[in-house]
């Protein structure tokens, strides 16, 4: 029973990887760098994009917005005159808890890849499954809010390991929390030693310049293998 | 293709409900009230249990602790001399993002139901899939932290609809956030009109007496249908 389940899961992931490679080929052909942005619900993915994606040093940015339902985040980003495409994962029952390569593929006809330098795919808010499904991205970035506690890297290690950048958000709240930043960073290094991290606040703007610089550089740096 | 997927999903949920009913029968036979406690990662499920489950008016409480990996929360609760059983959802690849009825069933031999009045099942931190899988509980409770933003009921409506109590946690941080509580409560009423809600802070203790009273009463009130 258990072995069968593992085999089915592996089959699903194999199929996903095949479609992810097709997405990646399309992105490469269009010369678009692609970032898969992940976090728990409410960690601040959209706020950090609002802060970063306009007037980005001449880089043309588009956003693919993944949500179970609705288009609240897409509407927020559209007011910044950034081209946004919404993917809802809720066609049938309660909705998928992550984006997969096929959902992204089905949205690509609505994305003008030739006009973009950078496409940010904002995943569904979830610290588990989004890390298991590549969608064709070059890079994975996650946001971890200091309000979520120091233990999160230890409890969701796959997510923290999957990323090449961790944005530690809401640091303006540190004076009001029982959050030990050193302990969080030690936990982070325990599961992903030395991973690049930026301390940021979407609210106050702290660290946002570094985040913008990282995004700009991501359009030119050598990407990771698909 | 899409229809096939829906049918498979429905089959999985049917099988889950069958096992959930078996769990429920065991809970009823032992006279144990069971709560399925859900939230996003870091919203404060464990902290709210730490505040509530000891010396609960003579009510004997046990906890089933669901995590992808590790036993950090179970260890925290065990120091309060509450019987805790850990379920890890990570036997194979990245780990399941929710508890299902079969995982709970497999843990029951380790739970001394006859010695308990109340069993709290702390689900994996996730606002999507846990709401789709009943595990045999009488009641579902969710924690929503004010740090997550006002829009969460609209973005994760199934979770907010599934619960009979919403604990709005971390209200001690309200003075430091751009969070409009009235707007959050209006969004909550839009997806689940009139649902019971308690404003609480695990940190300061505000609202904790009401939460303890609700738990105590949950051991005697008529439960919802399985």
């Amino acid at each position: 029973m258990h072995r069968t389940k593992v085999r089915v899961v592996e089959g699903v992931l194999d199929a996903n990887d095949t479609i992810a490679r097709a997405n990646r080929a399309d992105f490469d052909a269009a010369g678009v760098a692609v970032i898969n942005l992940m976090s728990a619900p409410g960690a601040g993915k959209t706020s950090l994009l609002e802060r970063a994606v306009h007037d980005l040093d001449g880089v043309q940015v588009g956003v693919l917005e993944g949500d179970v339902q609705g288009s609240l985040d897409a509407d927020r980003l559209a007011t910044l005159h950034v081209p946004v495409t919404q993917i809802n994962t809720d066609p049938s029952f309660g909705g998928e808890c992550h984006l997969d390569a096929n959902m992204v593929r089905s949205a690509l006809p609505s994305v003008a890849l030739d006009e973009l330098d950078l496409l940010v795919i904002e995943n569904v808010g979830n610290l588990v499954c989004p890390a298991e499904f590549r969608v064709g991205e070059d890079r994975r970035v996650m946001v971890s809010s200091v309000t979520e506690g120091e233990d999160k890297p230890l409890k969701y290690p796959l997510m923290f390991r999957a990323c090449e950048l961790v944005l530690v958000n809401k640091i303006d709240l540190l004076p009001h929390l029982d959050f030990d930043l050193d302990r969080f960073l030690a936990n982070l290094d325990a599961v992903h030693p030395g991973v690049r991290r930026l301390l940021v606040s979407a609210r106050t703007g702290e660290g946002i310049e570094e985040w913008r610089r990282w995004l700009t550089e991501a359009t030119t740096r050598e990407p990771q293998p698909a």
Side-chain angles (χ1 to χ4, degrees), chain A:
Chain A
M1 184 64 187
H2 185 63
R3 284 183 74 82
T4 307
K5 189 184 163 200
V6 173
R7 218 173 297 138
V8 169
V9 166
E10 284 170 352
V12 168
L13 290 177
D14 282 349
N16 184 73
D17 283 349
T18 301
I19 302 171
R21 280 191 294 271
N23 292 346
R24 177 67 170 272
D26 288 357
F27 297 143
D28 288 348
V32 183
V34 179
I35 288 168
N36 186 355
L37 182 62
M38 304 181 280
S39 80
K45 294 184 296 302
T46 309
S47 300
L48 287 167
L49 286 180
E50 285 178 313
R51 281 281 195 174
V53 294
H54 57 97
D55 288 332
L56 193 64
D57 252 342
V59 174
Q60 295 301 311
V61 188
V63 177
L64 248 183
E65 185 59 51
D67 283 299
V68 176
Q69 199 165 317
S71 62
L72 292 167
D73 294 344
D75 299 343
R76 283 168 61 185
L77 290 163
T79 65
L80 300 173
H81 307 291
V82 171
V84 185
T85 303
Q86 178 75 50
I87 306 177
N88 279 140
T89 67
D90 185 26
S92 49
F93 71 122
E96 292 287 338
C97 63
H98 58 275
L99 293 179
D100 65 25
N102 197 44
M103 294 178 207
V104 169
R105 186 137 201 89
S106 68
L108 287 189
S110 313
V111 180
L113 288 178
D114 287 336
E115 296 168 15
L116 300 179
D117 304 307
L118 175 65
L119 177 67
V120 181
I121 301 174
E122 186 179 337
N123 219 308
V124 178
N126 181 347
L127 286 185
V128 187
C129 302
E132 293 162 13
F133 290 83
R134 299 210 72 123
V135 295
E137 72 275 33
D138 309 300
R139 304 169 199 287
R140 298 198 274 189
V141 175
M142 75 162 294
V143 183
S144 188
S145 160
V146 295
T147 58
E148 295 165 17
E150 304 99 348
D151 57 352
K152 292 301 159 296
L154 304 180
K155 293 182 73 175
Y156 302 92
L158 185 70
M159 173 61 75
F160 285 84
R161 260 181 220 131
C163 293
E164 65 172 278
L165 173 67
V166 176
L167 296 166
V168 185
N169 193 23
K170 306 192 191 180
I171 57 165
D172 57 293
L173 293 175
L174 283 175
H176 313 294
L177 301 172
D178 305 318
F179 180 87
D180 183 337
L181 183 60
D182 289 337
R183 205 168 122 217
F184 171 83
L185 295 175
N187 289 341
L188 179 58
D189 280 324
V191 301
H192 194 164
V195 61
R196 180 88 188 274
R197 77 279 323 251
L198 293 175
L199 306 183
V200 299
S201 167
R203 193 168 180 238
T204 66
E206 196 172 340
I208 295 298
E209 266 319 302
E210 289 90 330
W211 164 224
R212 287 167 60 85
R213 199 174 314 130
W214 189 94
L215 277 173
T216 307
E217 291 172 4
T219 62
T220 53
R221 276 201 319 269
E222 195 62 28
Q224 296 185 319

